[in-house]
Amino acid sequence: MRNLLFVCLFTAALAAACGSTTTDPEPTGSGGSAASSTSESSASASSTASSSATGATCTPGETTSCTCHAVSEPGVATCLADGSGYGPCMEQGGGACRCPLGRSDGCCPGDGICCACVQGCDPNTDPLQDPETDALIACVCAAGVCADECERECAGQGIAADCRACVQQAGADACKAEYEACGGT
């Protein structure tokens, strides 16, 4: 019993002396992931010194590349004015990062980005944003095909039960070429 108490006290003292460090797995805090830092601002040394004195994690105006869902090239996140972290990941031109029609992060099994919500193609190609799957999504989401049955999927709001049956029916009719091209299941 005495040995257990000694081990616990020793471990607690060691932990307190060494301190603990944690890292934010999502430094942008907005659906993007920071990859590398490239400064595009000419912040003065005094601004950097004052931001480090206040506990800031970046220099205001500094940018870093991040994963932007809607584009193939990296997005950009800019350090907030108070230096507390980076703002949301944006497209290179300043637009918001969004998934294309019929795709969402919420439709991915696991940690994918912009997977197909409209199900029906080869499941191995869902997260790849391949043109064949996108062609089926566009066909299915067209008015008069499955737009009503697949309203949630076409808006990238998840997967509901009514859409899959309509996609299979459209795969035999209006969207046959697209369905076959994407390995329809």
Side-chain angles (χ1 to χ4, degrees):
M1 185 65 136
R2 209 181 294 181
N3 288 339
L4 181 60
L5 178 62
F6 175 75
V7 170
C8 290
L9 289 174
F10 180 75
T11 305
L14 184 62
C18 294
S20 70
T21 58
T22 58
T23 56
D24 185 1
E26 184 99 31
T28 64
S30 64
S33 60
S36 63
S37 178
T38 55
S39 177
E40 291 182 1
S41 67
S42 57
S44 66
S46 64
S47 133
T48 304
S50 69
S51 65
S52 62
T54 61
T57 60
C58 58
T59 304
E62 176 183 54
T63 61
T64 186
S65 64
C66 54
T67 302
C68 189
H69 301 222
V71 295
S72 59
E73 60 190 57
V76 176
T78 305
C79 183
L80 300 172
D82 64 358
S84 63
Y86 290 94
C89 189
M90 306 294 282
E91 291 179 355
Q92 294 283 340
C97 294
R98 296 188 189 157
C99 293
L101 173 75
R103 292 183 174 275
S104 169
D105 295 347
C107 294
C108 297
D111 292 334
I113 294 177
C114 292
C115 296
C117 296
V118 174
Q119 303 289 295
C121 289
D122 178 357
N124 295 320
T125 63
D126 279 351
L128 302 178
Q129 297 186 38
D130 64 304
E132 292 82 13
T133 301
D134 289 338
L136 178 68
I137 292 170
C139 183
V140 165
C141 294
V145 181
C146 293
D148 293 335
E149 295 86 345
C150 298
E151 182 178 4
R152 290 182 50 81
E153 288 82 354
C154 293
Q157 296 175 345
I159 301 170
D162 298 340
C163 185
R164 187 160 186 96
C166 189
V167 170
Q168 289 176 338
Q169 180 62 43
D173 296 328
C175 302
K176 184 175 183 173
E178 293 85 352
Y179 189 75
E180 290 174 355
C182 74
T185 58

CSV table of all heavy atoms in Angstrom, one decimal, residues 35-98:
chain,number,residue,atom,x,y,z
A,35,ALA,N,-2.0,23.0,-43.0
A,35,ALA,CA,-0.9,22.2,-43.6
A,35,ALA,C,0.5,22.8,-43.4
A,35,ALA,O,1.4,22.3,-42.8
A,35,ALA,CB,-1.1,21.9,-45.0
A,36,SER,N,0.6,24.1,-43.8
A,36,SER,CA,1.9,24.7,-43.7
A,36,SER,C,1.6,26.2,-43.6
A,36,SER,O,0.6,26.7,-44.1
A,36,SER,CB,2.8,24.4,-44.8
A,36,SER,OG,2.2,24.9,-46.0
A,37,SER,N,2.6,26.9,-43.0
A,37,SER,CA,2.4,28.3,-42.8
A,37,SER,C,3.2,29.1,-43.7
A,37,SER,O,4.4,28.9,-43.8
A,37,SER,CB,2.7,28.7,-41.3
A,37,SER,OG,2.6,30.1,-41.1
A,38,THR,N,2.6,30.1,-44.4
A,38,THR,CA,3.3,31.0,-45.3
A,38,THR,C,2.8,32.4,-45.0
A,38,THR,O,1.7,32.7,-45.1
A,38,THR,CB,3.1,30.7,-46.8
A,38,THR,OG1,1.7,30.7,-47.0
A,38,THR,CG2,3.7,29.3,-47.1
A,39,SER,N,3.7,33.3,-44.5
A,39,SER,CA,3.3,34.6,-44.1
A,39,SER,C,3.2,35.5,-45.4
A,39,SER,O,4.0,35.5,-46.2
A,39,SER,CB,4.3,35.2,-43.2
A,39,SER,OG,4.0,36.5,-42.9
A,40,GLU,N,2.0,36.2,-45.5
A,40,GLU,CA,1.8,37.1,-46.5
A,40,GLU,C,1.7,38.5,-46.0
A,40,GLU,O,1.2,39.4,-46.7
A,40,GLU,CB,0.5,36.7,-47.3
A,40,GLU,CG,0.7,35.5,-48.1
A,40,GLU,CD,-0.5,35.1,-48.9
A,40,GLU,OE1,-1.5,35.9,-48.9
A,40,GLU,OE2,-0.5,34.1,-49.6
A,41,SER,N,2.0,38.7,-44.7
A,41,SER,CA,1.9,40.0,-44.1
A,41,SER,C,3.3,40.5,-43.8
A,41,SER,O,4.2,39.7,-43.6
A,41,SER,CB,1.0,40.0,-42.9
A,41,SER,OG,1.6,39.2,-41.9
A,42,SER,N,3.4,41.8,-43.6
A,42,SER,CA,4.7,42.3,-43.2
A,42,SER,C,4.5,42.8,-41.7
A,42,SER,O,4.6,44.0,-41.5
A,42,SER,CB,5.1,43.5,-44.1
A,42,SER,OG,4.1,44.5,-44.1
A,43,ALA,N,4.2,41.9,-40.8
A,43,ALA,CA,4.0,42.3,-39.5
A,43,ALA,C,5.4,42.7,-38.8
A,43,ALA,O,6.4,42.1,-39.1
A,43,ALA,CB,3.4,41.1,-38.7
A,44,SER,N,5.3,43.7,-38.0
A,44,SER,CA,6.6,44.2,-37.4
A,44,SER,C,7.0,43.2,-36.2
A,44,SER,O,6.2,42.5,-35.7
A,44,SER,CB,6.4,45.6,-36.9
A,44,SER,OG,5.4,45.6,-35.8
A,45,ALA,N,8.2,43.3,-35.8
A,45,ALA,CA,8.8,42.5,-34.8
A,45,ALA,C,8.0,42.8,-33.5
A,45,ALA,O,7.8,42.0,-32.6
A,45,ALA,CB,10.2,42.7,-34.6
A,46,SER,N,7.6,44.1,-33.3
A,46,SER,CA,7.0,44.5,-32.0
A,46,SER,C,5.6,43.8,-32.0
A,46,SER,O,5.1,43.4,-30.9
A,46,SER,CB,6.8,46.0,-31.9
A,46,SER,OG,6.0,46.5,-32.9
A,47,SER,N,4.9,43.7,-33.1
A,47,SER,CA,3.6,43.0,-33.1
A,47,SER,C,3.8,41.5,-32.8
A,47,SER,O,2.9,40.9,-32.1
A,47,SER,CB,2.9,43.2,-34.5
A,47,SER,OG,2.4,42.0,-35.0
A,48,THR,N,4.8,40.9,-33.3
A,48,THR,CA,5.1,39.5,-33.0
A,48,THR,C,5.4,39.3,-31.5
A,48,THR,O,4.9,38.4,-30.9
A,48,THR,CB,6.2,39.0,-33.9
A,48,THR,OG1,5.9,39.2,-35.2
A,48,THR,CG2,6.5,37.5,-33.6
A,49,ALA,N,6.2,40.3,-31.0
A,49,ALA,CA,6.6,40.2,-29.6
A,49,ALA,C,5.4,40.4,-28.7
A,49,ALA,O,5.2,39.7,-27.7
A,49,ALA,CB,7.7,41.2,-29.3
A,50,SER,N,4.5,41.3,-29.1
A,50,SER,CA,3.4,41.6,-28.2
A,50,SER,C,2.4,40.4,-28.3
A,50,SER,O,1.7,40.0,-27.3
A,50,SER,CB,2.7,42.9,-28.6
A,50,SER,OG,2.1,42.8,-29.9
A,51,SER,N,2.2,39.8,-29.5
A,51,SER,CA,1.3,38.7,-29.6
A,51,SER,C,1.8,37.5,-28.8
A,51,SER,O,1.1,36.7,-28.3
A,51,SER,CB,1.0,38.3,-31.1
A,51,SER,OG,2.2,37.8,-31.7
A,52,SER,N,3.2,37.3,-28.8
A,52,SER,CA,3.7,36.1,-28.0
A,52,SER,C,3.5,36.4,-26.5
A,52,SER,O,3.4,35.5,-25.7
A,52,SER,CB,5.1,35.8,-28.4
A,52,SER,OG,5.9,36.9,-28.1
A,53,ALA,N,3.6,37.7,-26.1
A,53,ALA,CA,3.4,38.0,-24.7
A,53,ALA,C,2.0,37.8,-24.3
A,53,ALA,O,1.7,37.5,-23.1
A,53,ALA,CB,3.8,39.5,-24.5
A,54,THR,N,1.0,37.9,-25.2
A,54,THR,CA,-0.4,37.7,-24.8
A,54,THR,C,-0.8,36.3,-25.0
A,54,THR,O,-2.0,36.0,-24.9
A,54,THR,CB,-1.3,38.7,-25.7
A,54,THR,OG1,-1.1,38.4,-27.1
A,54,THR,CG2,-0.9,40.1,-25.4
A,55,GLY,N,0.0,35.4,-25.5
A,55,GLY,CA,-0.3,34.0,-25.6
A,55,GLY,C,-0.9,33.7,-27.0
A,55,GLY,O,-1.5,32.7,-27.2
A,56,ALA,N,-0.7,34.6,-28.0
A,56,ALA,CA,-1.2,34.4,-29.3
A,56,ALA,C,-0.5,33.2,-30.0
A,56,ALA,O,0.6,32.9,-29.7
A,56,ALA,CB,-1.1,35.7,-30.1
A,57,THR,N,-1.2,32.6,-30.9
A,57,THR,CA,-0.6,31.4,-31.6
A,57,THR,C,-0.2,31.8,-33.0
A,57,THR,O,0.5,30.9,-33.6
A,57,THR,CB,-1.6,30.3,-31.7
A,57,THR,OG1,-2.8,30.7,-32.4
A,57,THR,CG2,-2.0,29.8,-30.3
A,58,CYS,N,-0.5,32.9,-33.5
A,58,CYS,CA,-0.1,33.3,-34.9
A,58,CYS,C,0.0,34.8,-34.9
A,58,CYS,O,-0.5,35.5,-34.1
A,58,CYS,CB,-1.0,32.8,-35.9
A,58,CYS,SG,-2.8,33.3,-35.7
A,59,THR,N,0.6,35.3,-36.0
A,59,THR,CA,0.8,36.8,-36.2
A,59,THR,C,-0.5,37.3,-37.0
A,59,THR,O,-0.7,36.7,-38.0
A,59,THR,CB,2.1,37.1,-37.0
A,59,THR,OG1,3.2,36.5,-36.3
A,59,THR,CG2,2.2,38.6,-37.1
A,60,PRO,N,-1.2,38.3,-36.5
A,60,PRO,CA,-2.4,38.8,-37.2
A,60,PRO,C,-2.1,39.0,-38.7
A,60,PRO,O,-1.0,39.7,-39.0
A,60,PRO,CB,-2.7,40.0,-36.5
A,60,PRO,CG,-2.2,39.8,-35.1
A,60,PRO,CD,-0.9,39.0,-35.2
A,61,GLY,N,-2.9,38.5,-39.6
A,61,GLY,CA,-2.7,38.7,-41.0
A,61,GLY,C,-2.0,37.6,-41.7
A,61,GLY,O,-2.0,37.5,-42.9
A,62,GLU,N,-1.2,36.8,-40.9
A,62,GLU,CA,-0.4,35.7,-41.4
A,62,GLU,C,-1.4,34.7,-42.0
A,62,GLU,O,-2.5,34.5,-41.5
A,62,GLU,CB,0.4,35.1,-40.3
A,62,GLU,CG,1.1,33.8,-40.7
A,62,GLU,CD,1.9,33.3,-39.5
A,62,GLU,OE1,1.2,33.0,-38.4
A,62,GLU,OE2,3.1,33.1,-39.6
A,63,THR,N,-1.0,34.0,-43.1
A,63,THR,CA,-1.9,33.0,-43.7
A,63,THR,C,-1.2,31.6,-43.6
A,63,THR,O,0.0,31.5,-43.5
A,63,THR,CB,-2.2,33.3,-45.2
A,63,THR,OG1,-1.0,33.4,-45.9
A,63,THR,CG2,-2.9,34.6,-45.3
A,64,THR,N,-2.1,30.6,-43.7
A,64,THR,CA,-1.6,29.2,-43.8
A,64,THR,C,-2.5,28.5,-44.8
A,64,THR,O,-3.6,28.8,-45.0
A,64,THR,CB,-1.7,28.6,-42.4
A,64,THR,OG1,-1.1,27.3,-42.5
A,64,THR,CG2,-3.1,28.4,-41.9
A,65,SER,N,-1.9,27.5,-45.4
A,65,SER,CA,-2.7,26.7,-46.4
A,65,SER,C,-3.6,25.7,-45.6
A,65,SER,O,-3.2,25.3,-44.5
A,65,SER,CB,-1.9,26.0,-47.4
A,65,SER,OG,-1.0,25.0,-46.7
A,66,CYS,N,-4.7,25.4,-46.1
A,66,CYS,CA,-5.7,24.4,-45.5
A,66,CYS,C,-6.4,23.7,-46.5
A,66,CYS,O,-6.4,24.0,-47.7
A,66,CYS,CB,-6.6,25.2,-44.6
A,66,CYS,SG,-7.5,26.5,-45.4
A,67,THR,N,-7.1,22.6,-46.1
A,67,THR,CA,-7.8,21.8,-47.0
A,67,THR,C,-9.2,22.5,-47.3
A,67,THR,O,-10.0,22.7,-46.4
A,67,THR,CB,-8.1,20.4,-46.5
A,67,THR,OG1,-6.8,19.8,-46.2
A,67,THR,CG2,-8.8,19.5,-47.5
A,68,CYS,N,-9.4,22.8,-48.5
A,68,CYS,CA,-10.7,23.5,-48.9
A,68,CYS,C,-11.5,22.4,-49.7
A,68,CYS,O,-11.1,21.9,-50.7
A,68,CYS,CB,-10.4,24.7,-49.7
A,68,CYS,SG,-11.9,25.7,-50.0
A,69,HIS,N,-12.7,22.1,-49.2
A,69,HIS,CA,-13.5,21.1,-49.8
A,69,HIS,C,-13.9,21.3,-51.3
A,69,HIS,O,-13.9,20.3,-52.0
A,69,HIS,CB,-14.8,21.0,-49.0
A,69,HIS,CG,-14.5,20.7,-47.6
A,69,HIS,ND1,-15.3,19.8,-46.9
A,69,HIS,CD2,-13.6,21.1,-46.7
A,69,HIS,CE1,-14.8,19.7,-45.7
A,69,HIS,NE2,-13.8,20.5,-45.5
A,70,ALA,N,-14.2,22.5,-51.7
A,70,ALA,CA,-14.7,22.7,-53.0
A,70,ALA,C,-13.7,22.8,-54.1
A,70,ALA,O,-14.1,22.8,-55.3
A,70,ALA,CB,-15.6,23.9,-53.0
A,71,VAL,N,-12.5,22.9,-53.8
A,71,VAL,CA,-11.5,23.1,-54.8
A,71,VAL,C,-10.4,22.0,-54.7
A,71,VAL,O,-10.1,21.5,-53.6
A,71,VAL,CB,-10.9,24.5,-54.8
A,71,VAL,CG1,-11.9,25.5,-55.1
A,71,VAL,CG2,-10.2,24.8,-53.5
A,72,SER,N,-9.7,21.8,-55.8
A,72,SER,CA,-8.6,20.8,-55.7
A,72,SER,C,-7.3,21.5,-55.2
A,72,SER,O,-6.5,20.8,-54.6
A,72,SER,CB,-8.3,20.3,-57.1
A,72,SER,OG,-8.0,21.3,-58.0
A,73,GLU,N,-7.2,22.8,-55.3
A,73,GLU,CA,-6.0,23.4,-54.8
A,73,GLU,C,-6.3,23.8,-53.3
A,73,GLU,O,-7.4,23.9,-52.9
A,73,GLU,CB,-5.6,24.7,-55.6
A,73,GLU,CG,-6.7,25.7,-55.6
A,73,GLU,CD,-6.4,26.8,-56.6
A,73,GLU,OE1,-6.3,26.5,-57.8
A,73,GLU,OE2,-6.4,28.0,-56.2
A,74,PRO,N,-5.2,24.0,-52.5
A,74,PRO,CA,-5.4,24.3,-51.1
A,74,PRO,C,-6.1,25.6,-50.9
A,74,PRO,O,-6.0,26.5,-51.7
A,74,PRO,CB,-4.0,24.3,-50.5
A,74,PRO,CG,-3.1,23.8,-51.6
A,74,PRO,CD,-3.8,23.9,-52.9
A,75,GLY,N,-6.8,25.7,-49.8
A,75,GLY,CA,-7.5,26.9,-49.4
A,75,GLY,C,-6.5,27.7,-48.6
A,75,GLY,O,-5.3,27.4,-48.4
A,76,VAL,N,-7.0,28.9,-48.0
A,76,VAL,CA,-6.2,29.8,-47.2
A,76,VAL,C,-6.9,30.1,-46.0
A,76,VAL,O,-8.1,30.5,-46.0
A,76,VAL,CB,-5.9,31.1,-48.0
A,76,VAL,CG1,-5.1,32.0,-47.2
A,76,VAL,CG2,-5.1,30.7,-49.3
A,77,ALA,N,-6.3,30.0,-44.8
A,77,ALA,CA,-6.8,30.5,-43.6
A,77,ALA,C,-5.9,31.7,-43.1
A,77,ALA,O,-4.7,31.6,-43.2
A,77,ALA,CB,-6.8,29.4,-42.5
A,78,THR,N,-6.6,32.7,-42.6
A,78,THR,CA,-5.8,33.9,-42.2
A,78,THR,C,-5.9,34.0,-40.6
A,78,THR,O,-7.0,33.8,-40.0
A,78,THR,CB,-6.5,35.2,-42.8
A,78,THR,OG1,-6.5,35.0,-44.2
A,78,THR,CG2,-5.7,36.4,-42.5
A,79,CYS,N,-4.8,34.4,-40.0
A,79,CYS,CA,-4.7,34.6,-38.6
A,79,CYS,C,-5.7,35.7,-38.2
A,79,CYS,O,-5.7,36.8,-38.8
A,79,CYS,CB,-3.3,34.9,-38.2
A,79,CYS,SG,-3.1,35.1,-36.4
A,80,LEU,N,-6.4,35.5,-37.1
A,80,LEU,CA,-7.4,36.5,-36.6
A,80,LEU,C,-6.6,37.7,-36.1
A,80,LEU,O,-5.4,37.7,-35.8
A,80,LEU,CB,-8.2,35.9,-35.5
A,80,LEU,CG,-9.0,34.7,-35.9
A,80,LEU,CD1,-9.7,34.0,-34.7
A,80,LEU,CD2,-10.1,35.0,-36.9
A,81,ALA,N,-7.3,38.8,-36.0
A,81,ALA,CA,-6.7,40.1,-35.6
A,81,ALA,C,-6.1,40.1,-34.2
A,81,ALA,O,-5.1,40.7,-33.9
A,81,ALA,CB,-7.8,41.2,-35.6
A,82,ASP,N,-6.7,39.2,-33.3
A,82,ASP,CA,-6.1,39.1,-32.0
A,82,ASP,C,-5.0,38.1,-31.8
A,82,ASP,O,-4.4,37.9,-30.8
A,82,ASP,CB,-7.2,38.9,-30.9
A,82,ASP,CG,-7.9,37.5,-31.1
A,82,ASP,OD1,-7.5,36.8,-32.1
A,82,ASP,OD2,-8.7,37.2,-30.3
A,83,GLY,N,-4.7,37.4,-33.0
A,83,GLY,CA,-3.6,36.4,-33.0
A,83,GLY,C,-3.9,35.1,-32.2
A,83,GLY,O,-3.1,34.3,-32.0
A,84,SER,N,-5.2,34.9,-31.9
A,84,SER,CA,-5.6,33.7,-31.1
A,84,SER,C,-5.7,32.5,-31.9
A,84,SER,O,-5.8,31.4,-31.4
A,84,SER,CB,-6.9,34.0,-30.4
A,84,SER,OG,-8.0,34.2,-31.4
A,85,GLY,N,-5.7,32.6,-33.2
A,85,GLY,CA,-5.8,31.4,-34.1
A,85,GLY,C,-6.2,31.8,-35.5
A,85,GLY,O,-6.3,33.0,-35.8
A,86,TYR,N,-6.4,30.8,-36.3
A,86,TYR,CA,-6.8,31.1,-37.7
A,86,TYR,C,-8.3,31.1,-37.9
A,86,TYR,O,-9.0,30.3,-37.3
A,86,TYR,CB,-6.1,30.0,-38.6
A,86,TYR,CG,-4.6,30.2,-38.7
A,86,TYR,CD1,-3.8,29.5,-37.9
A,86,TYR,CD2,-4.0,31.1,-39.6
A,86,TYR,CE1,-2.4,29.7,-37.9
A,86,TYR,CE2,-2.7,31.3,-39.7
A,86,TYR,CZ,-1.9,30.5,-38.8
A,86,TYR,OH,-0.5,30.7,-38.9
A,87,GLY,N,-8.7,31.9,-38.9
A,87,GLY,CA,-10.1,31.9,-39.2
A,87,GLY,C,-10.5,30.7,-40.1
A,87,GLY,O,-9.7,29.8,-40.3
A,88,PRO,N,-11.7,30.8,-40.7
A,88,PRO,CA,-12.1,29.6,-41.5
A,88,PRO,C,-11.3,29.5,-42.7
A,88,PRO,O,-10.8,30.4,-43.3
A,88,PRO,CB,-13.6,30.0,-41.8
A,88,PRO,CG,-13.7,31.5,-41.6
A,88,PRO,CD,-12.7,31.8,-40.6
A,89,CYS,N,-11.3,28.3,-43.2
A,89,CYS,CA,-10.6,28.0,-44.5
A,89,CYS,C,-11.4,28.5,-45.6
A,89,CYS,O,-12.6,28.3,-45.7
A,89,CYS,CB,-10.4,26.4,-44.6
A,89,CYS,SG,-9.4,26.0,-46.0
A,90,MET,N,-10.8,29.3,-46.5
A,90,MET,CA,-11.5,29.9,-47.6
A,90,MET,C,-10.8,29.5,-48.9
A,90,MET,O,-9.7,29.1,-48.9
A,90,MET,CB,-11.4,31.4,-47.5
A,90,MET,CG,-11.9,32.0,-46.2
A,90,MET,SD,-13.7,31.7,-45.9
A,90,MET,CE,-14.3,33.0,-46.9
A,91,GLU,N,-11.6,29.6,-50.0
A,91,GLU,CA,-11.0,29.3,-51.3
A,91,GLU,C,-9.9,30.4,-51.6
A,91,GLU,O,-9.9,31.4,-51.0
A,91,GLU,CB,-12.1,29.4,-52.4
A,91,GLU,CG,-13.1,28.3,-52.4
A,91,GLU,CD,-14.1,28.4,-53.4
A,91,GLU,OE1,-14.2,29.4,-54.2
A,91,GLU,OE2,-15.0,27.5,-53.5
A,92,GLN,N,-9.1,30.1,-52.6
A,92,GLN,CA,-8.0,31.1,-52.9
A,92,GLN,C,-8.6,32.4,-53.3
A,92,GLN,O,-8.0,33.5,-53.0
A,92,GLN,CB,-7.2,30.5,-54.1
A,92,GLN,CG,-6.4,29.3,-53.8
A,92,GLN,CD,-5.1,29.6,-53.0
A,92,GLN,OE1,-4.6,30.7,-53.0
A,92,GLN,NE2,-4.6,28.6,-52.4
A,93,GLY,N,-9.7,32.5,-53.9
A,93,GLY,CA,-10.4,33.7,-54.3
A,93,GLY,C,-11.2,34.4,-53.2
A,93,GLY,O,-11.8,35.4,-53.4
A,94,GLY,N,-11.3,33.8,-52.1
A,94,GLY,CA,-12.0,34.3,-50.9
A,94,GLY,C,-13.4,33.7,-50.7
A,94,GLY,O,-14.0,34.1,-49.7
A,95,GLY,N,-13.9,32.9,-51.6
A,95,GLY,CA,-15.2,32.3,-51.4
A,95,GLY,C,-15.1,31.2,-50.3
A,95,GLY,O,-14.1,30.7,-49.9
A,96,ALA,N,-16.3,30.9,-49.8
A,96,ALA,CA,-16.4,29.8,-48.8
A,96,ALA,C,-16.1,28.4,-49.3
A,96,ALA,O,-16.5,28.2,-50.5
A,96,ALA,CB,-17.8,29.9,-48.1
A,97,CYS,N,-15.5,27.6,-48.6
A,97,CYS,CA,-15.2,26.2,-49.0
A,97,CYS,C,-16.5,25.4,-48.9
A,97,CYS,O,-17.1,25.3,-47.8
A,97,CYS,CB,-14.2,25.6,-48.1
A,97,CYS,SG,-12.6,26.3,-48.2
A,98,ARG,N,-17.0,24.9,-50.0
A,98,ARG,CA,-18.2,24.1,-50.0
A,98,ARG,C,-18.1,22.9,-50.8
A,98,ARG,O,-17.3,22.9,-51.8
A,98,ARG,CB,-19.4,24.9,-50.5
A,98,ARG,CG,-19.7,26.1,-49.6
A,98,ARG,CD,-20.9,26.8,-50.0
A,98,ARG,NE,-21.0,28.0,-49.2
A,98,ARG,CZ,-21.6,29.1,-49.5
A,98,ARG,NH1,-22.3,29.1,-50.6
A,98,ARG,NH2,-21.6,30.1,-48.8
